[in-house]
Amino acid sequence: MTGKRTGNKYHAETSLPVQRSFINGDYLPSSSGQTFETRHPGNGRVICEIEEAGRKEVDAAVQAASKAFISWSRTPATERGDILRRAATLLRERNQELAELETLDTGKAIAETSAVDIITGAAVIEYFAGVAQSIHGQHIDLPPEAFAMVRREPLGVCAGIGAWNYPMQIAMWKSGPALACGNTMVFKPAEQTPLTALKLAEIYTEAGLPPGVFNVVQGAAATGSALVGHPDVAKVTLTGSVETGKIVMAEAARGLKKVTLELGGKSPIVVFNDAELENALNAALVGNFYSSGQVCSNGTRVFVEAGIHDEFVKELGRRTKAIRVGDPFDPETQLGPLVSKEHYEKVLRYLADARKSGARHICGGEPFSEGNLANGYYVTPAVFSDCRDDMTFVCDEVFGPLMSVLSFTSENEVIERANQTPFGLSGAVFTRDFSRAHRVANLMQAGIVWINDYNITPPEVPFGGYKQSGLGRENGLQAIEHYTQVKTIYANLGDVPKTY
Ligand code: NAD
């Protein structure tokens, strides 16, 4: 491992003391005695033990958040915004250190975590810090002697539950708007990647966030389930798989809680004959292999029009073979390991299935275990062409570096095939034809469609899924609607008529 460099706070051999839940402004020991471990995916080493939050700790966190809600919801929006802005500044100042910790926990290449994960989260917190002061209601005149006000009010305690692929960014994407609107939050990171959410809690505290406004509970499904089922939780926002989304929504329904779900995808990238090839290639590669393919909005079904298909596939193969797989702490590495042994084995099963499917194997898909990477969860990026729509690895969300290329011959055909999936998170169209770009974008069943680009998610832009890819939206002004509720206050200026 080349990870141990002078100046790095965290590296591949880092061991940390036992980590805990962060409740009411401080670390709280767990009474259950249960612990779990988190490992560095680059070498399989245990980084540390984490004390699991049982029902008692979940209850303590929700109670702290309920109590904090009373004053936080009445704190002037300018003050809420100031605190969030300070947090965004601290996050940017500590970008490198936080990126190293994220790389340690997730195995994602440091070139990515230091350029994207923390910075894009801080940008969202800063965006909602600015929006806080603009959250307002409505006045409705009801002449001759009445009017109504529509107040936009926070919901209360929001439960945030995160996935392991962008652990800190997800915690920021959820807490930024929730807190800006005056809610408090109890966040549960994924059990595979529990470390950076705690740093976010520390940074919020340092920025001046009162105790109890942002809490972190540690654990897996049981902890998440206790949180979702807690009677004092008003809203649940989950980022995770479709299966978990269904369970969480059903559990939340028992208390008729509001729900936002950011779930999986199997998104299409459609490349027409007239596309600017270099742009389409760059997008297909980044939209499949960034974060070792562990990105929900990845464009894992690449539809290429017959006229450019062979050239496109040849170039994809050449460029994919050149991707540098390796130690995620090496700044030159472009593709690090998968997040866990379990996930690595799942991706290998899909790769084996792809090889037997009849699709043409262009490159990659082998375990990668050179030298001291032997105990890590590495796999080389794979491209398969001549895929059919009904092949298992073309239908399922693999969440690994596996690109399927499919050929098409007409616009109508490709729209129909692109939409033939229960998912609907995102999609892209590459063409120089303005009208066709918009026709296709309008007809794609997806929450976000890029024209001549891929996986760009600025804070101002709503992000979320159609169909089974989710419910509700994160980012943009739409997010405010999911973290507030409206109250109508009707004011009578005259007399109440005598009816009886
Ligand atoms: P997962 O569904 O296994 O777990 C997600 C979270 O839910 C974890 O924190 C887990 O502990 C928790 N959880 C599991 N069962 C629960 C239950 N019964 N009650 C409450 N919480 C429970 O997902 P994952 O494997 O961590 O992440 C990968 C998935 O996340 C992929 O499907 C990916 O597409 C999706 N994802 C979506 C987005 C998006 O914005 N749409 C972003 C990132 C990841």
Side-chain angles (χ1 to χ4, degrees):
M1 286 276 157
T2 55
K4 202 164 183 174
R5 287 200 164 74
T6 340
N8 281 21
K9 174 143 189 188
Y10 302 103
H11 50 76
E13 276 81 40
T14 300
S15 294
L16 295 173
V18 171
Q19 304 286 301
R20 305 194 153 120
S21 297
F22 189 96
I23 296 173
N24 206 21
D26 211 349
Y27 286 104
L28 192 81
S30 169
S31 58
S32 75
Q34 300 292 317
T35 59
F36 60 98
E37 24 180 64
T38 184
R39 290 171 184 267
H40 176 49
N43 56 16
R45 283 185 66 249
V46 174
I47 305 165
C48 63
E49 297 273 318
I50 297 100
E51 291 184 3
E52 186 188 272
R55 285 197 174 271
K56 196 169 159 212
E57 288 72 38
V58 168
D59 186 52
V62 175
Q63 279 191 31
S66 295
K67 191 160 162 255
F69 177 74
I70 296 167
S71 53
W72 182 247
S73 58
R74 293 174 198 169
T75 300
T78 43
E79 277 178 44
R80 293 204 300 263
D82 284 347
I83 291 171
L84 292 175
R85 247 186 305 276
R86 275 201 292 278
T89 304
L90 290 169
L91 285 158
R92 289 196 184 106
E93 281 170 12
R94 296 187 198 158
N95 178 53
Q96 185 57 27
E97 170 192 334
L98 295 167
E100 285 166 17
L101 186 61
E102 200 69 305
T103 289
L104 181 68
D105 214 9
T106 61
K108 295 191 341 168
I110 190 76
E112 287 188 23
T113 53
S114 63
V116 171
D117 291 53
I118 287 80
I119 286 170
T120 53
V124 166
I125 291 177
E126 189 171 60
Y127 170 77
F128 285 106
V131 166
Q133 276 175 277
S134 306
I135 301 171
H136 54 72
Q138 251 183 321
H139 171 275
I140 300 161
D141 200 19
L142 299 166
E145 285 191 313
F147 69 91
M149 292 182 309
V150 179
R151 274 166 61 84
R152 193 163 274 284
E153 298 182 347
L155 302 169
V157 179
C158 298
I161 300 178
W164 44 255
N165 62 337
Y166 278 86
M168 194 164 189
Q169 190 216 52
I170 291 171
M172 295 189 272
W173 277 29
K174 293 192 185 305
S175 59
L179 271 43
C181 291
N183 302 286
T184 55
M185 178 164 269
V186 178
F187 185 80
K188 190 199 82 62
E191 59 274 26
Q192 297 86 347
T193 54
L195 301 180
T196 45
L198 297 173
K199 293 290 161 201
L200 179 63
E202 288 178 13
I203 284 174
Y204 274 142
T205 305
E206 198 178 327
L209 198 72
V213 176
F214 181 74
N215 310 272
V216 178
V217 291
Q218 299 287 5
T223 307
S225 176
L227 187 54
V228 173
H230 196 292
D232 295 336
V233 164
K235 185 218 163 87
V236 181
T237 167
L238 165 85
T239 298
S241 60
V242 171
E243 294 69 39
T244 304
K246 289 177 183 171
I247 295 168
V248 163
M249 191 166 169
E251 275 185 10
R254 276 201 276 275
L256 288 179
K257 294 173 186 175
K258 294 177 176 49
V259 176
T260 295
L261 301 173
E262 293 290 354
L263 308 177
K266 192 75 194 185
S267 301
I269 297 180
V270 175
V271 186
F272 285 95
N273 284 340
D274 68 342
E276 213 284 283
L277 269 202
E278 180 64 16
N279 285 342
L281 278 165
N282 289 341
L285 290 164
V286 82
N288 274 272
F289 301 137
Y290 212 67
S291 291
S292 306
Q294 304 166 122
V295 181
C296 53
S297 50
N298 268 357
T300 42
R301 292 180 299 141
V302 181
F303 291 92
V304 184
E305 200 168 3
I308 53 162
H309 177 270
D310 293 353
E311 185 190 348
F312 197 83
V313 168
K314 194 169 150 216
E315 199 51 20
L316 274 179
R318 191 184 68 76
R319 300 264 303 265
T320 301
K321 282 182 210 155
I323 291 174
R324 287 188 295 274
V325 183
D327 170 9
F329 277 100
D330 182 341
E332 301 295 312
T333 291
Q334 295 175 309
L335 198 130
L338 295 166
V339 73
S340 65
K341 187 161 189 288
E342 189 191 7
H343 187 57
Y344 167 73
E345 283 164 359
K346 176 185 148 187
V347 171
L348 287 181
R349 281 195 296 276
Y350 273 111
L351 286 161
D353 170 67
R355 279 176 185 272
K356 285 185 275 175
S357 66
R360 190 153 73 96
H361 177 235
I362 303 299
C363 63
E366 291 92 21
F368 184 81
S369 56
E370 268 177 19
N372 51 9
L373 305 181
N375 295 322
Y377 316 129
Y378 298 89
V379 58
T380 57
V383 178
F384 286 82
S385 74
D386 302 74
C387 298
R388 275 198 334 265
D389 296 342
D390 63 351
M391 290 172 169
T392 308
F393 73 99
V394 179
C395 298
D396 292 4
E397 185 188 44
V398 177
F399 227 53
L402 169 52
M403 184 194 304
S404 338
V405 183
L406 305 105
S407 178
F408 74 93
T409 53
S410 83
E411 187 179 314
N412 286 342
E413 171 209 335
V414 78
I415 290 167
E416 196 189 322
R417 290 172 62 197
N419 287 336
Q420 250 170 36
T421 165
F423 298 109
L425 189 53
S426 50
V429 49
F430 282 81
T431 174
R432 289 186 172 101
D433 180 334
F434 179 87
S435 307
R436 178 160 59 195
H438 285 277
R439 271 198 312 272
V440 174
N442 288 349
L443 289 172
M444 261 191 196
Q445 295 164 355
I448 184 163
V449 180
W450 293 280
I451 295 175
N452 296 330
D453 212 332
Y454 209 75
N455 266 350
I456 308 294
T457 55
E460 303 90 326
V461 170
F463 181 81
Y466 273 26
K467 301 196 273 188
Q468 293 195 20
S469 286
L471 218 95
R473 292 291 176 271
E474 293 193 316
N475 293 349
L477 295 177
Q478 258 84 359
I480 300 300
E481 293 175 17
H482 299 291
Y483 282 111
T484 54
Q485 54 195 339
V486 292
K487 175 187 282 170
T488 301
I489 299 178
Y490 178 97
N492 176 25
L493 307 181
D495 294 324
V496 179
K498 190 171 176 184
T499 312
Y500 305 106

